[in-house]
């Protein structure tokens, strides 16, 4: 396909640097997408990223880019900001990749999805963990353990994060679970742990458990997925390598080439519904 010119808003996120390094510095031949504009953030950070990617166009607001780019990447750390950035572009018919999480509420997530429908354009959003090799390996192993009974996904997350709490890092756990057991969560139950929170729900009879463990002074737990089937068990740590952002960028590039969203709408919304239930329960427990 011809090279697609895209912009990034939310450059405080480390993902922005990795995306620019991959697309503008490494310039893989099979990923003809380039970052040509940035929405300015902190001055030094803006200069660093512009110099890294050879990016000349810096604007004050994402709205300044409407109608002038092929796609928008939203990488703001706080998911509560994502709706404001994404909706105008989607309604104008510009594809958008909303880096994790899609939003920090079900209402915002539904409005982003609806805006894509109104604009007749593709939308994607996911955790980087959805695409990495370890998650692929667990997904492929599910066929070898018989009828799936239960899946547990564990990882670090902090409900007190300044970036919309559990949504900031909890999306990694919730999105991996949705990759392994896709479908609408039923009967979500949330309980507090001594150092975190656990959420349980069912999808078509399969019990899904998400363990959000708050990092302590000595570090954090690894991301891990375990699945129990009728005659076997598989478990694996999910490790993020140095190139962990690249598979998600590749999925975005394929979306731009095909016009087809890489993740079904239901799988975009389901993790947000689970995280909202966790956030609501945490607020109630804390009172």
């Amino acid at each position: 396909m011809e090279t697609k010119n895209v912009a990034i808003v939310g450059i405080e996120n480390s993902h922005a640097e990795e995306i620019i390094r991959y697309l503008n510095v490494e310039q893989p031949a099979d990923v003809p997408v380039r970052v040509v504009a940035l929405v300015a953030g902190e001055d030094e950070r803006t200069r660093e990223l512009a110099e890294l990617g050879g990016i000349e166009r810096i604007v004050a607001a994402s709205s300044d880019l409407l109608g002038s780019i092929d796609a928008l990447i939203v990488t703001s750390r706080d998911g509560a900001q994502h709706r404001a950035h994404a909706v105008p572009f989607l309604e104008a018919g510009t594809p958008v990749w909303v880096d994790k999480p899609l939003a920090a509420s079900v209402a915002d997530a539904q409005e982003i999805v609806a805006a894509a429908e109104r604009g007749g354009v593709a939308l994607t959003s996911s955790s980087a963990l959805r695409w990495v090799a370890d998650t692929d390996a667990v997904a492929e192993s599910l066929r070898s353990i018989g009828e799936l009974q239960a899946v547990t996904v564990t990882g670090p997350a902090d409900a007190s994060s300044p970036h919309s709490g559990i949504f900031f890092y909890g999306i990694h756990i919730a999105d991996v679970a949705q990759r392994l057991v896709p479908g609408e969560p039923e009967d979500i139950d949330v309980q507090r742990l001594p150092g975190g929170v656990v959420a349980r729900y069912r999808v078509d009879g399969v019990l899904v458990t998400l363990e959000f463990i708050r990092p302590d002074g000595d570090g954090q737990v690894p991301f891990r997925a375990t699945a129990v089937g009728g005659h076997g068990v598989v478990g694996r740590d999910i490790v993020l390598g140095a190139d962990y952002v690249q598979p998600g960028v590749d999925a975005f590039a394929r979306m731009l080439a095909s016009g087809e969203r890489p993740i079904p709408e239901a799988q975009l919304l389901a993790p947000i519904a689970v995280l909202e239930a966790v956030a609501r329960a945490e607020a109630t427990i804390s009172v």
Side-chain angles (χ1 to χ4, degrees):
M1 71 175 183
E2 65 181 33
T3 299
K4 299 293 186 180
N5 294 323
V6 307
I8 296 180
V9 58
I11 63 173
E12 77 281 0
N13 194 328
S14 62
H15 289 187
E17 180 175 351
E18 296 307 316
I19 292 167
I20 292 168
R21 190 184 311 280
Y22 183 49
L23 293 178
N24 288 30
V25 180
E26 298 180 17
Q27 296 189 2
D30 58 340
V31 187
V33 180
R34 300 293 177 262
V35 180
V36 299
L38 300 174
V39 178
E42 189 274 330
D43 288 346
E44 183 176 354
R45 175 69 169 171
T46 303
R47 286 195 298 271
E48 288 176 352
L49 294 184
E51 290 176 3
L52 173 66
I55 301 166
E56 297 181 356
R57 188 177 183 191
I58 310 297
V59 300
S62 57
S63 58
D64 295 335
L65 297 167
L66 277 167
S68 65
I69 54 175
D70 295 315
L72 178 70
I73 302 173
V74 181
T75 57
S76 306
R77 283 177 176 166
D78 193 339
Q81 300 176 12
H82 292 174
R83 174 178 175 173
H85 291 308
V87 166
F89 286 85
L90 292 167
E91 291 182 330
T94 301
V96 176
W97 170 21
V98 181
D99 194 19
K100 63 90 182 172
L102 176 61
S105 71
V106 170
D108 279 3
Q110 290 175 333
E111 176 56 22
I112 292 171
V113 169
E117 293 295 329
R118 291 193 295 270
V121 71
L123 161 73
T124 192
S125 180
S126 62
S127 158
L129 270 72
R130 169 180 276 266
W131 307 106
V132 299
D134 287 324
T135 304
D136 287 342
V138 175
E140 292 169 4
S141 297
L142 296 183
R143 293 174 290 184
S144 69
I145 61 175
E147 183 178 4
L148 190 60
Q149 306 294 310
V151 166
T152 299
V153 183
T154 304
D158 188 351
S160 64
S161 166
H163 310 302
S164 290
I166 200 71
F167 287 89
F168 179 54
Y169 238 58
I171 186 61
H172 293 307
I173 301 162
D175 197 35
V176 168
Q178 189 62 204
R179 164 78 191 280
L180 299 177
V181 192
E184 183 176 356
E186 300 176 351
D187 303 321
I188 302 171
D189 176 67
V190 180
Q191 296 181 3
R192 174 169 282 181
L193 301 174
V197 63
V198 60
R200 294 185 178 89
Y201 60 87
R202 290 186 180 272
V203 175
D204 295 330
V206 177
L207 177 63
V208 180
T209 302
L210 309 184
E211 297 173 335
F212 305 92
I213 308 302
R214 184 174 60 250
D216 63 19
D218 295 320
Q220 63 185 33
V221 300
F223 292 103
R224 184 170 181 82
T226 303
V228 179
H231 58 251
V233 177
V234 295
R236 190 184 187 101
D237 284 358
I238 300 174
V239 179
L240 294 175
D243 59 352
Y244 72 98
V245 171
Q246 295 179 14
V249 179
D250 292 343
F252 170 59
R254 291 193 296 270
M255 183 185 81
L256 296 183
S258 67
E260 298 179 1
R261 61 179 62 176
I263 302 171
E265 175 182 316
Q267 291 188 44
L268 294 178
L269 295 174
I272 305 303
V274 174
L275 293 174
E276 185 172 84
V278 172
R280 187 165 51 243
E282 274 284 289
T284 301
I285 294 170
S286 298
V287 172

